[in-house]
Every structure is written in structure tokens, then in C-alpha cells.
Amino acid sequence: MADKPENIAEELFNNRQIFLRYNQNNINRIQQPLFHVDRHVFTIIPRLLHINQEGLPGYVKGDVPCGIHHFQLDHRIQLAAETLFPDAIFRGNEEVEPFIHTILLMGSCGSIAQSRKSDLDYTLLVNKHSVSPERLGLFKQKLNLIEKWAWDEFNLEVHFFINDIQEVKNNIFGESDTESTGSAQAKLLKEEMYRTAVVTTGKLPFWWIVPLQTDDDQYENYLHLLRTRQTLLDPDAFVDIGNVDDISQGEFFGGSIWALIKSFKAPFKTLLKMGLLEEYMFGQTRFNLLCHEIKKKVFGGTLFDDIDTYVAMYERVERFFKEHKDENALDALKTSFVLKVGTKVTGEELVKGSPDPRKRTLINMYNSWDWEPAKLESVNAYFSWQMLDKVALGNRINKILMASYKNISEANKASGEESLISERDTHLLGRKLFSFYRPSQNKVENLFALVDGETGEKELTFMIHRVNPKDKGEWYLIRGKTLAFLEHIPKEQILKKAYSLQFLVAFTCFNSLFRKDTVLLLRAEQQSIKDQDLKILLEDLSSFMSQVSVASIPNEDLLTNARLRQLFMIVDFGNPIPREVMIGNLHDCKTPKEYAGFMNRKLERITSTTAIYLTTWGELFCKTYVGANCMNRCLAELRPMTPNREIDEDEFFKFFVPGSRKEKIDFSWLSRYIIKTLTFKKGNTSGKVESPDLKIHPSTSKSTSEGAREMEEAKSESPST
């Protein structure tokens, strides 16, 4: 019988041999697209994790956990070491208590979607409880240093994710944060782990050698045979992180929420992953997940070079789309696959073929789609598309994603099966979606979040349009330089319409439309912001504030009310700037009354104040206050959102004063006033801004010494003019 111990022992042994060959083939495939020096980095990383040696990347002083089970210093690692660190002397295979059980390289590496600079995402399987929290903290420092070294020296993104073996076996991957999916994906993540993981060194996942169609009970039986040495294998050569025979329907809802969030960073890849979730939700998944499909090919005699995890995922989703979606969705899926893969097949190669094995695979796929060479060339030229064409594709993808999410959500409710995602993670992930989709007054749209690649424009026109001279007018942001009347400008060239120039500036910077070589044209008269002001303003705001990835918003920020994360203010005194604003010296003020007069004379000349602020929920707002007391009205609204902690002024606040003057004007008094007013913590029962600088009392209510002390404190904190 097949389930006799001796038969099982033989099958496990044979499967191990096959998997080792398949895994080595994947390691070879990973190295092929890499730059020569990056291959050495890939090879040396296990060695850097195995030891803690001073002078090498990742060295941390102290009792740092290190060591990898079954690590061997071979000639490849020695060559990489000599190449990267010619002056270092590597210690031999010293005796250490190994902390890392295995190192798995996850994701698209080894597949057709790997590029020369694909991220190297490593999962390190460890027993967290075998070390103290302090030692685990040192280990994390070590990983951070290796990541930084790879990026600083080679511009190569390396990421390490620590997972506890027992937690992974129990389908626990930590709470939802910037990278972890928490309870949103449990077995889903394990299924992807088994499907895509390449063992770079360490123990082999036991799941990979058990027979096909192994249920949970059988898996535990096989594990018992291994551990009681009733097989031909060494139990210490394997790591047990659990079985995957099926995935509960209750898990797909949380997975779909997570997929929507990931779409803001990688829409093309997400469309394939969401399609796979929907196919799982409405298909037969028991022993029929994608990891089972890959495993069946490995043990079924398929040539290893013909097994590609990314192609397999695409083909499965494509079959589902053909049966359940329209042609528009299918075309978006094909386009997303081409753009995610990145390897360009020319129209000529599509017809004549290519000697490149990766391209041959793609050519066979594209020919099965009946794509014309012109269609392929158009998709290949994506990064030179007009911006609105990129946005249109992003919107198409978003609609398909939202429809899939709705289908999964409704099917989850109809099934009556409890969703496995925790209430806390539902709240956290929902907040992330809320921050992107919530419409709100004065909110600046994150319009290009679903666009992969460069969004900067070569030329931009900012134009005000008035029906008659008395109108306040509307502002238009236009692609390219144009002197045409509004009615003659093609609609596809109009990127944004807004009530103010300041809002267009915020929109332009937040969506990365401006770059330093962008040529600007300002078509407006009688504005304080002139041509030179506009360029400086865009440069200042772009360098100070940028779009936030929704997926990366920290949990602690989402679990509290939104606060100011960064504040940029445009303070307009008119152009030219009035003489009263430029003259005078704060240190000439001898009394509190003189100090108050100094400040008031300047603040009263502000004609408008614009606050462009990014919140801890990742939302950007832009609001302009005009007229008398506009500065204090602005600060009164912002004060409740100011963080209740010490802030780094350089990271938190910046301001700009239009004026187009060659000489630099000192506005340090203004900066100090804004920061002190925002962070002043005394009680305020009047409803007005209680500024620390202007809290001047009549002499009858405060002694001269108290008033002088307050003034001196204010002067001492203010930079010299």
C-alpha cells in the first residue's frame, strides 16, 4: 500500500531529491538577470547573516543572535567575499548556536517577472523565544545594517522579514503594518510562500516533500514518521511550518482588502493577485491552489525551466477572466502582465522570434492573445504615454479591483462563514482605504496613486480664466506650454481645475508632476506669485512634502485622530512686499508693548495665508484664508491638529513668502510666531488664538518684571535678524 511507512519513506526521499534540483534551478534563474556585482551580493548575504564579524556589513556590538542551520562556506561564497571585501579576512565555519533555521527568498525572484533590480525579499524563519527581547533587537539592527549597505553601495533593495516558526505554522504573520498583512492573510500568505519561496540556505520546508493531496492529518502522520526516524531522512534537515490543503472562504475577504491597499503602490501586480483571490473564492480550491499546481508540475516531470510561478498565476487568472469578465477587463489584465514583467518584446520579435528564453516564453503567450505588433509596441511605450492615458489605465484597473472586491465581499456574506480577519485589522485596513477614497473639503486628490512609473511633466502651464475682469476666476493646470484661450485647449491637456493657484501648486507637487527641469508658464496678471516665485515655490514644496504610500501608514497613527504630520504655509504680503514688513529689528524692542507692536504691524500686512498640510492619515489638504486676521484664523484651525509632543521644526514646518526679490529677507520672526502659536499649550476659553507672543497685558495686570521676563524669553528664542 502507498501509505505504508516504507513506501512513504521512499516517496519522501525521492521528493526531497527532486525539490533540491528544482530549488537549485531557481537559484540559478535568480542570478541570471542580476548585474554581476549584485550576484555577489546575493551570494554573500547568507554569510553576513551567519556571522557577526567586525568590519563587515551587519556587524553589531554585543551578543547578537546569528548562525544558520546547515550553512556551508563554499567556493561561490568565498569568491563573492574576496570580490566585495578584498581586505577582509573571513573567519571559517566557526561553531555557533544557529538562530536562523532557514532563509527563503520570496516573491517574483526566479520568475519571468524578475528584473535586474527586483527587490530581494527574504523571510527568515527563527524561534523568537529562543533569545531575549534585547538580543532580538540586536538581530534586527544587524538586518537593518545589511539592508542599508546593499542600498548605499549597490542601489539594491534588500528586505528581511523575521517570522517565528510556530507562529507561521499557526498561520500567524503578525499584526497588519507597513508590510505584514496580519490576520488579513493567513493561509493565503503561506500558500504564496510555498509557491514562490526559494531556499537560499538552511532547512527545507517539510510541506515541499510530502505527497500531493496530503491533508492535515496525513501531514502530521508523515511528520511523526520523520521525527521518529522511520524515514531515510534527517529530521533536522527540515522545518515544519504547517500544511496547506485548502483555504477557508472566510480568508478571502481580508485578502481582498489588503490587495486594494497594495494597489496604490503596485496596480499591475495587484490586478493579478486580486484576480487570483476571486478565482479562489468562486472555484474549487481543495488540493487545487496555485501552490499545488506548481508542486504537481515539479513532481510530475515538467522541465524546471518551463515552470514559472508568475506565468502560472497569470494563466490561472486569465482563464477566470475569460469565463467571468468582459473584454475590457481581459485587456487590462494582459496589459498589466506585460507592464509588470518588464521584459520588452518588440513587434519585430513578436513576428520573427528571439533567442532569449524569457522572450520566447512571452512571445508564445502574446501570440496566443492575437496581439498585433502595433498593440505590443504601444504598451511597451507606457512610460512615455501622456499622463492622462496612464491615469485612464489606472482607473480601469481600479474599477476592476473594486468590482472583484465587491464580488468577494458579497460571496463572503452569502456563505455565512465568519471572516477570519480580526476586527482590529479590519479597522486598520479600512482606515487606510478611507484615507484615500474619502471625499473632503479642501482635500488634494492623490490622483496618480494608481499610476506606476514617472509622472513628472516636461512643461506645465498655470492659467487663470475669467469670464469678465470682475470675476474671481478659476485656475487651470495644463499639460505643456500654451498661449491658447481656454476654449481652444484640448480637454485631455487640462490636468486640473481649482479655485486658487495655491491649490494647483499643492496638487502638482503631491502628484509629482513637477520636477526640476519642468518648464513653467504662468498666465496671470496682478498676482503676488510671479514666474520666479512659482518655480521656487514648487521646488520648495516638492522637496519638503511628498505623496505618502497608503500601505505604509503606521498603525499607531491610524488608531488615533489625524494629526499634522507636515505643514507648509504660503504667507502673502503682496508683491512687492511692503516696507513695514521688512524694516525693524525684534531685538530693538525694549518692552512687551513694543514687542507686541512690532509683531502686529507685520502680521496686519498679511493679505492671505495658505496652509498646505499632510496628516498622519496620509491625506493632503490645502486651504487659503483671506483678509483681516487671516493668519490667526488659520492657526486657530490648525492648533487642535498639532501633535502633542515635541516636534522637529525642520521636518514639520516650512513656509514661503512671495516677493520675487533678489536679496534674502529674514522672516525668522514669522517662523517663530507660527510654531510658538501652534504649540502653545495654555488653556484657551475665549475661542481665539492665545498667542504666546501677543499675550500682552496692561501694566496694571502684570508686574513690569513679569512682562519684561516674558519679552526677554521671546527675544532669546528668536534668531538674530
Side-chain angles (χ1 to χ4, degrees):
M1 294 178 63
D3 57 352
K4 286 183 177 180
E6 57 270 23
N7 294 334
I8 289 298
E10 184 178 357
E11 185 169 1
L12 293 177
F13 181 84
N14 291 335
N15 286 351
R16 172 185 175 273
Q17 299 305 104
I18 294 171
F19 176 72
L20 285 174
R21 293 196 297 271
Y22 170 67
N23 189 72
Q24 185 58 52
N25 190 74
N26 282 335
I27 290 176
N28 296 338
R29 289 171 66 168
I30 288 169
Q31 297 187 74
Q32 286 172 7
L34 295 176
F35 288 109
H36 183 69
V37 69
D38 292 344
R39 294 178 191 170
H40 291 312
V41 175
F42 169 77
T43 302
I44 202 66
I45 280 176
R47 180 58 174 167
L48 298 178
L49 294 172
H50 186 66
I51 59 173
N52 186 46
Q53 183 174 330
E54 190 171 359
L56 296 178
Y59 172 74
V60 176
K61 188 176 181 180
D63 187 13
V64 184
C66 54
I68 308 166
H69 281 267
H70 308 304
F71 176 82
Q72 291 295 322
L73 183 61
D74 59 26
H75 71 281
R76 297 177 305 104
I77 298 174
Q78 195 65 43
L79 175 62
E82 292 171 359
T83 303
L84 295 173
F85 311 104
D87 298 327
I89 299 175
F90 274 70
R91 298 198 295 260
N93 275 323
E94 61 212 65
E95 290 296 322
V96 294
E97 182 64 31
F99 178 58
I100 303 169
H101 287 252
T102 193
I103 301 177
L104 306 176
L105 190 60
M106 306 279 290
S108 61
C109 285
S111 77
I112 204 163
Q114 181 188 350
S115 68
R116 282 191 162 187
K117 282 296 180 182
S118 287
D119 295 0
L120 298 180
D121 293 334
Y122 291 94
T123 291
L124 310 181
L125 295 177
V126 304
N127 178 3
K128 288 183 180 179
H129 303 291
S130 67
V131 298
S132 66
E134 292 75 19
R135 292 188 68 204
L136 186 61
L138 293 175
F139 182 66
K140 291 177 180 178
Q141 288 182 36
K142 179 180 182 67
L143 301 182
N144 291 336
L145 290 172
I146 296 173
E147 290 175 346
K148 186 176 185 300
W149 165 74
W151 177 254
D152 291 346
E153 296 296 324
F154 309 103
N155 201 31
L156 183 66
E157 284 200 54
V158 173
H159 305 286
F160 296 108
F161 303 97
I162 307 171
N163 283 104
D164 181 76
I165 294 170
Q166 190 58 44
E167 289 179 353
V168 173
K169 179 164 185 174
N170 295 333
N171 305 314
I172 299 170
F173 291 89
E175 68 172 17
S176 294
D177 55 26
T178 56
E179 292 294 343
S180 172
T181 57
S183 65
Q185 297 187 95
K187 273 196 175 180
L188 275 170
L189 196 60
K190 189 181 289 185
E191 185 274 326
E192 183 178 354
M193 176 183 288
Y194 282 143
R195 172 181 12 122
T196 68
V198 178
V199 183
T200 61
T201 190
K203 300 179 180 181
L204 305 181
F206 185 62
W207 178 88
W208 253 108
I209 71 164
V210 300
L212 293 164
Q213 299 196 352
T214 294
D215 63 26
D216 290 346
D217 290 338
Q218 290 172 321
Y219 178 89
E220 292 300 324
N221 288 335
Y222 300 151
L223 191 61
H224 175 73
L225 292 175
L226 175 74
R227 287 173 172 170
T228 56
R229 298 189 179 275
Q230 298 182 58
T231 72
L232 304 172
L233 304 171
D234 177 7
D236 193 51
F238 300 92
V239 60
D240 167 34
I241 49 177
N243 187 41
V244 175
D245 57 356
D246 200 0
I247 296 178
S248 166
Q249 281 195 319
E251 195 171 324
F252 299 128
F253 173 65
S256 65
I257 298 177
W258 184 254
L260 282 180
I261 290 169
K262 296 296 282 186
S263 69
F264 301 130
K265 185 177 180 181
F268 304 141
K269 178 171 67 175
T270 301
L271 183 58
L272 274 75
K273 290 196 170 185
M274 181 72 92
L276 184 64
L277 283 175
E278 195 174 3
E279 195 272 346
Y280 281 172
M281 187 75 185
F282 296 100
Q284 175 55 249
T285 54
R286 183 166 172 79
F287 302 129
N288 191 37
L289 297 165
L290 197 50
C291 64
H292 299 127
E293 185 178 322
I294 298 298
K295 189 173 181 179
K296 186 176 181 180
K297 290 180 178 179
V298 171
F299 295 148
T302 303
L303 291 175
F304 295 156
D305 285 342
D306 293 337
I307 301 173
D308 189 291
T309 55
Y310 218 85
V311 171
M313 177 171 65
Y314 169 79
E315 290 176 342
R316 186 148 177 168
V317 176
E318 182 190 48
R319 290 193 296 270
F320 179 78
F321 271 44
K322 284 181 177 178
E323 294 177 10
H324 301 280
K325 308 283 185 181
D326 59 22
E327 283 298 321
N328 176 62
L330 184 59
D331 181 72
L333 177 70
K334 293 174 180 177
T335 301
S336 295
F337 177 81
V338 175
L339 293 173
K340 177 61 185 80
V341 166
T343 299
K344 290 186 179 181
V345 175
T346 66
E348 183 180 5
E349 288 173 327
L350 188 64
V351 176
K352 297 181 179 179
S354 170
D356 185 329
R358 289 163 62 95
K359 288 190 176 185
R360 284 202 302 271
T361 300
L362 293 172
I363 289 168
N364 291 335
M365 293 180 68
Y366 300 162
N367 283 328
S368 71
W369 299 350
D370 293 326
W371 267 24
E372 295 293 329
K375 167 76 172 178
L376 182 58
E377 294 285 7
S378 173
V379 175
N380 282 341
Y382 170 81
F383 291 101
S384 62
W385 284 11
Q386 288 196 4
M387 181 51 58
L388 294 183
D389 290 334
K390 292 181 181 179
V391 173
L393 176 60
N395 288 337
R396 282 172 64 196
I397 291 173
N398 193 39
K399 287 179 181 178
I400 299 167
L401 291 172
M402 293 301 292
S404 295
Y405 165 74
K406 183 179 179 182
N407 291 341
I408 293 172
S409 178
E410 291 177 350
N412 184 64
K413 289 179 182 177
S415 71
E417 189 170 332
E418 184 178 355
S419 183
L420 297 185
I421 184 173
S422 69
E423 183 177 345
R424 183 179 186 276
D425 279 349
T426 301
H427 176 67
L428 286 168
L429 299 180
R431 276 274 176 96
K432 293 187 179 187
L433 293 177
F434 180 78
S435 74
F436 178 77
Y437 287 108
R438 176 179 72 140
S440 184
Q441 189 175 13
N442 303 312
K443 183 175 178 178
V444 181
E445 303 98 315
N446 195 341
L447 186 62
F448 304 133
L450 291 167
V451 174
D452 265 5
E454 173 67 40
T455 56
E457 290 287 338
K458 294 180 180 179
E459 298 176 327
L460 288 171
T461 298
F462 294 79
M463 181 182 79
I464 191 169
H465 174 71
R466 295 187 177 94
V467 176
N468 63 67
K470 294 183 179 180
D471 285 345
K472 187 176 179 180
E474 291 180 316
W475 283 89
Y476 290 84
L477 177 64
I478 302 163
R479 189 173 194 264
K481 286 181 66 177
T482 179
L483 295 173
F485 292 110
L486 180 64
E487 53 269 25
H488 297 146
I489 297 173
K491 289 184 178 180
E492 60 269 19
Q493 295 296 103
I494 299 175
L495 298 173
K496 181 67 180 173
K497 180 176 75 172
Y499 68 91
S500 71
L501 174 59
Q502 292 92 326
F503 195 94
L504 287 187
V505 166
F507 176 85
T508 300
C509 294
F510 195 51
N511 289 287
S512 303
L513 290 169
F514 173 80
R515 57 193 188 198
K516 287 193 174 182
D517 62 345
T518 300
V519 178
L520 304 172
L521 175 61
L522 177 61
R523 293 181 55 190
E525 296 178 354
Q526 300 177 341
Q527 299 291 319
S528 295
I529 298 177
K530 306 297 184 183
D531 297 74
Q532 186 61 24
D533 287 318
L534 180 60
K535 183 173 180 61
I536 297 172
L537 174 56
L538 287 166
E539 288 176 349
D540 283 359
L541 183 56
S542 294
S543 63
F544 178 67
M545 190 179 291
S546 60
Q547 196 178 94
V548 173
S549 169
V550 174
S552 66
I553 302 173
N555 288 347
E556 56 268 25
D557 289 342
L558 294 170
L559 293 172
T560 58
N561 292 331
R563 295 279 185 177
L564 293 181
R565 176 174 167 174
Q566 287 183 294
L567 171 64
F568 188 98
M569 296 183 75
I570 304 172
V571 185
D572 193 346
F573 292 95
N575 197 343
I577 298 172
R579 182 173 178 273
E580 293 88 340
V581 176
M582 296 185 289
I583 63 173
N585 191 317
L586 181 67
H587 290 267
D588 291 337
C589 301
K590 305 299 182 184
T591 66
K593 185 175 181 180
E594 289 179 4
Y595 179 75
F598 173 89
M599 298 297 295
N600 280 327
R601 282 192 300 274
K602 296 178 183 298
L603 294 173
E604 285 171 357
R605 298 310 300 261
I606 299 175
T607 60
S608 73
T609 300
T610 298
I612 302 171
Y613 57 94
L614 184 67
T615 74
T616 50
W617 286 14
E619 296 177 289
L620 187 74
F621 294 88
C622 177
K623 185 175 180 179
T624 298
Y625 304 76
V626 180
N629 207 31
C630 59
M631 171 61 76
N632 283 343
R633 284 187 285 118
C634 171
L635 297 178
E637 288 194 21
L638 294 177
R639 274 188 72 183
M641 296 180 64
T642 304
N644 293 318
R645 54 177 172 77
E646 187 174 337
I647 59 176
D648 184 329
E649 185 176 337
D650 291 337
E651 293 183 2
F652 175 76
F653 176 67
K654 192 170 186 177
F655 71 99
F656 177 81
V657 178
S660 298
R661 296 179 62 90
K662 291 182 179 179
E663 67 271 24
K664 189 174 181 180
I665 303 172
D666 184 7
F667 286 104
S668 57
W669 59 268
L670 177 61
S671 175
R672 179 188 175 280
Y673 174 77
I674 292 170
I675 289 294
K676 292 287 285 185
T677 303
L678 284 174
T679 57
F680 190 59
K681 301 303 179 186
K682 289 187 179 180
N684 181 5
T685 58
S686 66
K688 299 178 181 179
V689 173
E690 193 176 25
S691 166
D693 290 338
L694 297 185
K695 189 181 178 185
I696 307 299
H697 297 264
S699 58
T700 55
S701 63
K702 178 178 285 191
S703 69
T704 304
S705 60
E706 285 179 298
R709 186 165 59 249
E710 182 181 78
M711 184 191 72
E712 289 302 321
E713 178 187 354
K715 288 171 62 177
S716 67
E717 294 178 7
S718 179
S720 177
T721 53

